[in-house]
Amino acid sequence: MEPVAERAAACRAVAPVPPQPPAPEPPAPPDATRLTSLQLLRAHGSGPRGLTEEEAARRLARHGENALPARRRITRRRRLLRSLRDPFTTVLLCLGVLSAVVAAWGTATVICSLVLVSCVLRVTGEHRADRSVGLLRALLPTTATVVRRAGDEAPPQAREVPVGEVVPGDVVRLGPGDLVPADVRLLRATGLSVHQQALTGESAPVAKYAVQEPGAPPPGPFAPPHLCFQGSSVAYGSATALVTATGAGTRFAAAHRAGDGRRFTAFDRSVHGISWTLIRFMLLTPPLVLVAGAALHGRGLETLPFAVAVAVGLTPEMLPVVVTTALARGASRLAREHRVIVTRLPALHDLGAVDVLCLDKTGTLTQDRPVVTRALDAEGRDDPEVLRWAAANAWWTLHLADLPVPDALDEAVLEAAGEEAAGEEAADGPEGIAALPFDPVRRLSTAVVRTPGRLGRHTLVVKGAVEQVLDRCALGPDERERLLGLAAAEAAAGSRLLAVAVAERDARPGEWTHADERGLTFRGLLTFGDALAPTAADALGELAGRGVGVKILTGDHPGTAAQVCRDLGLDPGQVLTAEEADRLTDAELGAVARRTTVFARCGPGHKARVVAALRAGGHTVGFLGDGVNDLPALHAADVGLCPRGAVDAVRESADVVLAEKDLAAVDRAITAGRHSGGNIGTYLRITLSSNLGNVFAMLATALLLPFLPMLPAQVLVQNLCFDAAQLAFAYERPSRAVLRRPIRLRPRGFLRFITGFGLINAAADVATFGVLALTTHDTHASQEAFHAGWFTENLLTQALVMVILRGGRHAAEGRSTGPVHRAALGLAVIGVLLPLSPLGPLLAMGTLPPLYYALLATVLALYALVLVLARRRHERAGGAV
């Protein structure tokens, strides 16, 4: 029991308070979808006059602040502990502990130092990225207009309150440009349309209106027309609404909480596969050394340090440091040069492995605004007069109806007609008399203008949905069906439509009403398409050239999505709708998804299911989204991307935050990922093939020699030298060939590579063993000379492997400069000079005869030739180096 005030504690000491029963769970909130407005007001204990200030304060204390639940931030300590769970890091720590047990303190110190450095680098990079994303956190609206009363009998007053103080039961007022502060039920609305793109991905405003007795709710959580939700904003119109949910109870917050589980990504799959391959080798190596030493030479536990050193020699000790450095450099370069923030460092590797990118078309392939594509007369022929009448309607409706901003379609009409030209024509041509603004229920807008050249006559210009306009035209049944067929054909081609009709009336001083919209003459159709993003076509070509397939997952009409693809030069093929996908099993969907480019009418669940099906089929999938409806797919993908302007919940969940929703930015991020991933892959292949070859040779010679082929201290120094040189891989520039295809570390192919080239390396080591046997058997202290000769040969062969197999841009362009080349040169110099230096005797390495160096040069020349031939054969077979 929690402590309270001292007096209460003293009272309890005298008379213990019996345990209290648990507090009952709060009742479920009323169903705002099905109840009538009056029932909902009563259920919330509210009314049209709003809450009293006293009641609002009580509810604020009970429900809490109207704010999204704060996502728990990961502390540096937790990040450090999480980085220790990396498989390679775990293996290294185990080897470090084992080295300490056998008193190999140098080996244990070096291993633990490398682990600590890599963990610190990773934690620092991810913490910096997390802090950058925190600075991008969007602010919710700061104030909201609520109707409240000072007391029960006081009159209601509208006033501004901080949005955090809005409570369930509040009556709020909404106007153009307002952000919806909570989930609300509309009580009254006038011409209301809201932007719900952050919630549903819909680019066009959605009509909302009050419904007194709701029927069956339409499909989709954000579809009911009488409900508005936190995260949306008012495009135009006004409304009075009842707050039904705040804070954690809103649907926006529910989506914010969804999918917090960590994905098992492409990086995880690659690392785990390679890790377990190495773990098997390392677990097998020490027992073999111990058994062989005991059976052939009668050695006991004195060979345990050597066995541990051999296992350490197989382990890529620098892997955590090289991987973290390569990823951190790539992330830093992206942030500095392209303002792209990588929130999870391994996600940069996943970007390099992406071979399928899923995205919505709105805002990525298109500019999130419509454009007029054609103006057609009643026969389907181009007719500029239709556009002229539509522009007059848009112009005078905007000015006479006192709208704050034009509707998106009206804006497109004015832009197509030339807004300045439309204004000049309105000033010099027909004068506007009255306007009836767009009504989301009627789906029409009407402007009344003086008929040009005809005194005493006015012209009604009506523009709106095709069916609504045709219903008000003087048409026979056959003509109406023909025009509906013409409109259907245009809609099937992916166009949005507006119909235009006119009618002349006698001038009159009275008001014009909706009843005057009858007996119209049909003038034609306006077709609208999506304005294409200027960089989309080029970016699609770049992604295709890099082996990345693009999948369009959209909620739009199939024809609209297909037309956008064709306009961008992307073959849409057979479009798959959400209804068709629902009839497929997961396995069938995976097979269909591989050959499908466009998925239409998709909801959040459909997008996530398509992404999961692609991943199950072996693809590495990236998903680009910015709305709450994209969260399930974002979590289902290997790597989630979002623009900086995405909603807060998406930014916190994404692995990569782009400066803008632009495919060119995605292409740059993928290039950076392949840069880092290519360096990591090259490092692993070269290091492990060299290490494996050395282990094979050590095991073979340990069985033949009466002494250990290398002392544990010599193995440690050799590994330190090679490790220091390997850090250069994090700074290498990959060749263009590496950037043209996804970077993947497949365990089977990887194992074939390191085994093949490891055997070549082992052959060179065994040849060197023959050279040493020939040149050192008559020398004094042959054991020390043998150690020196093999130490030199190992570092020289490792330097050759780094130069010949590095596959960087310098190698591809035939240049001899670059960080890897310089590191290999330094490694070779150490290999030759260290045994001859004063450090040689300290490490029990003796002097070698000149004949050894001559014969070693021959072995190394042959080794380099075989490496070059093997590399070319490997590349011809389609393998990566």
Side-chain angles (χ1 to χ4, degrees), residues 571-597:
D571 182 12
Q574 182 67 37
V575 178
L576 184 72
T577 64
E579 294 79 5
E580 295 168 339
D582 287 338
R583 294 193 289 269
L584 301 175
T585 65
D586 290 342
E588 292 170 339
L589 180 60
V592 173
R594 285 195 293 271
R595 59 178 185 269
T596 302
T597 300

Side-chain angles (χ1 to χ4, degrees), residues 123-148:
V123 169
T124 301
E126 291 188 355
H127 182 76
R128 187 183 299 116
D130 193 52
R131 186 177 56 190
S132 299
V133 173
L135 295 176
L136 297 175
R137 187 179 180 92
L139 294 176
L140 289 173
T142 56
T143 61
T145 303
V146 300
V147 177
R148 287 184 182 169

Side-chain angles (χ1 to χ4, degrees), residues 377-441:
D377 63 12
E379 303 300 324
R381 299 184 296 262
D382 291 328
D383 184 358
E385 283 295 304
V386 177
L387 178 61
R388 186 178 70 84
W389 282 115
N393 173 286
W395 178 266
W396 288 115
T397 300
L398 174 64
H399 287 76
L400 295 179
D402 197 24
L403 297 179
V405 292
D407 171 72
L409 295 181
D410 282 351
E411 195 170 17
V413 169
L414 293 174
E415 183 180 352
E419 188 167 349
E420 184 177 348
E424 291 175 356
E425 182 178 328
D428 299 334
E431 178 186 354
I433 301 299
L436 302 175
F438 178 81
D439 185 330
V441 177

Side-chain angles (χ1 to χ4, degrees), residues 632-648:
L634 203 73
H635 288 289
D638 287 287
V639 54
L641 304 96
C642 77
R644 188 168 298 179
V647 297
D648 183 70

Side-chain angles (χ1 to χ4, degrees), residues 253-315:
H256 181 273
R257 294 190 299 267
D260 283 339
R262 185 176 181 272
R263 301 178 295 277
F264 193 73
T265 64
F267 181 80
D268 300 321
R269 292 193 297 271
S270 299
V271 168
H272 278 74
I274 296 170
S275 297
W276 282 109
T277 300
L278 289 179
I279 288 170
R280 293 185 184 98
F281 273 110
M282 287 185 292
L283 291 177
L284 185 64
T285 300
L288 283 178
V289 173
L290 291 174
V291 171
L296 297 179
H297 304 291
R299 304 186 188 119
L301 291 179
E302 65 271 14
T303 60
L304 183 59
F306 174 73
V308 173
V310 171
V312 172
L314 179 62
T315 308

